[in-house]
Amino acid sequence: MQEKLQALQQEALQKVTDAADLKALNDVRVAYLGKKGPITEVLRGMGSLSAEERPKLGALANEVRAAITAAIEEKHEALEEEAVNQQLALEKIDVTLPGAPVKKGNHHPLTKITEQLEDLFLGMGYTIAEGPEVEQDYYNFEALNLPKSHPARDMQDSFYITEEILMRTHTSPVQARTMEKHEGKGPVKIICPGKVYRRDNDDATHSHQFMQIEGLVVDENITMADLNGTLEVFAKKFFGEDREIRLRPSFFPFTEPSVEMDISCKICGGKGCSVCKGTGWIEILGGGMVHPNVLEMAGFDSSKYTGFAFGMGVERIAMLKYGIDDIRHFYTNDVRFTSQFHCHE
Ligand SMILES: [Zn+2]
């Protein structure tokens, strides 16, 4: 029986060594150490042995069992480690492979134009002022010399929230709010960029939502010559040194006198073409000297202080600069359009 046990141990250890995977190893364990295995069988046959031999054989059987168990455990660990290594090998990342390209976006053309205009005026000593888009009637109209019954309000029909609150129709209320904060003391030198709203029907040149940038300078001894000089610098820096400007008389309730500024047509150099409708000039913005009523309402002494203001539509400037033919392109978010403005010039 001893020999039989030793032979079983040899046989089992060999099978453990040969086991190729965890399942095969488990089969060996069940076959040799299980309740129906040969070792259990040997122990069952011990009843026929003498009292002397019984404990010896019992001890040997336990040794054999322990040896096989130890071998199986060792093999089990080895197989598990191998399995983990195989898994790791499968999941290995080749860091030399080229990565998936990250799609790089770009600024919206209106953002670009706004930032370019801001840079230009910041360079001339202006600061940027902002205000609410949902505005009080007082700041949007009354503080700008547009009392309730004023007919010029018709040109800026807006979206009213209540009788006294509306979506601002221009960025001018930011001028009124800024002047009010200054409490009658100059100088004021700001630009106000932002979104504005009017009850227009959308077409190629109109949008119910659009953007403006306005400028305001209030100080002692500010004259029309300062406005003219500022607009000339703006036109040449923004559209090109070869561009000329001209000021035409116009009317706005918040400026007196009021002007419209044209720049010479780049296409025809002033001779007249289809772009400038044969005039040689392209309309860019409106402006003028701040109306004394506006200064007084904001707390400025209009006998001491004067000022100029101007305002332009950012879409119009962008359309002229980039040759865009329809204002609706700015708002339909077609990437074929918006991705054309990659470079940072
Ligand atoms: Zn022209």
Side-chain angles (χ1 to χ4, degrees), residues 142 268 271:
E142 283 185 51
C268 62
K271 287 190 199 78

Side-chain angles (χ1 to χ4, degrees), residues 40-308:
T40 313
E41 207 173 295
V42 168
L43 289 171
R44 267 195 207 116
M46 284 199 329
S48 61
L49 295 174
S50 68
E52 272 180 22
E53 282 174 317
R54 219 179 282 161
K56 282 186 194 165
L57 196 76
L60 179 64
N62 282 337
E63 276 173 33
V64 169
R65 185 187 278 274
I68 296 171
T69 305
I72 287 174
E73 277 174 9
E74 199 179 313
K75 182 75 179 185
H76 191 269
E77 265 179 41
L79 283 175
E80 270 196 333
E81 198 180 315
E82 199 178 307
V84 169
N85 285 339
Q86 272 178 6
Q87 192 63 35
L88 284 175
L90 279 176
E91 289 172 2
K92 201 165 99 178
I93 295 164
D94 183 352
V95 293
T96 65
L97 279 173
V102 177
K103 276 191 182 167
K104 218 172 152 187
N106 56 279
H107 282 150
H108 191 277
L110 294 179
T111 305
K112 288 190 65 173
I113 291 289
T114 304
E115 286 180 352
Q116 288 170 19
L117 290 169
E118 285 174 359
D119 280 352
L120 203 159
F121 284 103
L122 286 173
M124 289 197 267
Y126 289 71
T127 54
I128 295 171
E130 289 178 323
E133 288 173 25
V134 180
E135 186 54 280
Q136 297 172 34
D137 184 277
Y138 175 79
Y139 289 111
N140 194 79
F141 290 127
E142 283 185 51
L144 299 165
N145 203 29
L146 274 157
K148 284 241 157 41
S149 57
H150 201 292
R153 280 193 180 207
D154 290 349
M155 298 191 304
Q156 297 192 10
D157 209 357
S158 183
F159 302 100
Y160 280 84
I161 312 292
T162 68
E163 284 268 320
E164 296 298 325
I165 296 172
L166 71 159
M167 303 304 290
R168 67 181 181 192
T169 57
H170 45 188
T171 50
S172 310
V174 182
Q175 297 188 26
R177 285 172 174 276
T178 306
M179 280 191 281
E180 193 180 77
K181 271 190 209 134
H182 274 255
E183 294 178 333
K185 291 183 206 72
V188 178
K189 198 172 182 184
I190 53 161
I191 51 164
C192 327
K195 290 200 282 288
V196 301
Y197 306 83
R198 288 189 200 177
R199 225 174 55 191
D200 273 331
N201 290 323
D202 293 2
D203 60 25
T205 53
H206 293 85
S207 171
H208 61 280
Q209 178 204 306
F210 57 102
M211 290 186 72
Q212 284 187 333
I213 283 194
E214 294 187 350
L216 171 72
V217 174
V218 178
D219 206 350
E220 294 176 39
N221 304 315
I222 298 292
T223 70
M224 197 84 176
D226 297 309
L227 173 63
N228 190 79
T230 302
L231 294 182
E232 189 159 6
V233 169
F234 152 68
K236 287 185 185 292
K237 292 281 178 222
F238 201 77
F239 291 103
E241 292 293 335
D242 56 339
R243 307 303 276 274
E244 299 294 328
I245 72 162
R246 75 173 183 189
L247 301 182
R248 283 181 290 113
S250 185
F251 169 78
F252 301 107
F254 23 83
T255 44
E256 182 60 38
S258 302
V259 295
E260 303 236 19
M261 183 191 100
D262 299 333
I263 58 169
S264 56
C265 178
K266 190 181 187 173
I267 310 289
C268 62
K271 287 190 199 78
C273 67
S274 64
V275 172
C276 57
K277 293 173 189 136
T279 64
W281 297 95
I282 292 171
E283 190 185 319
I284 296 291
L285 56 76
M289 298 306 291
V290 180
H291 198 289
N293 288 356
V294 174
L295 288 170
E296 293 288 343
M297 281 190 86
F300 281 87
D301 179 352
S302 64
S303 64
K304 187 177 170 196
Y305 283 100
T306 48
F308 68 77

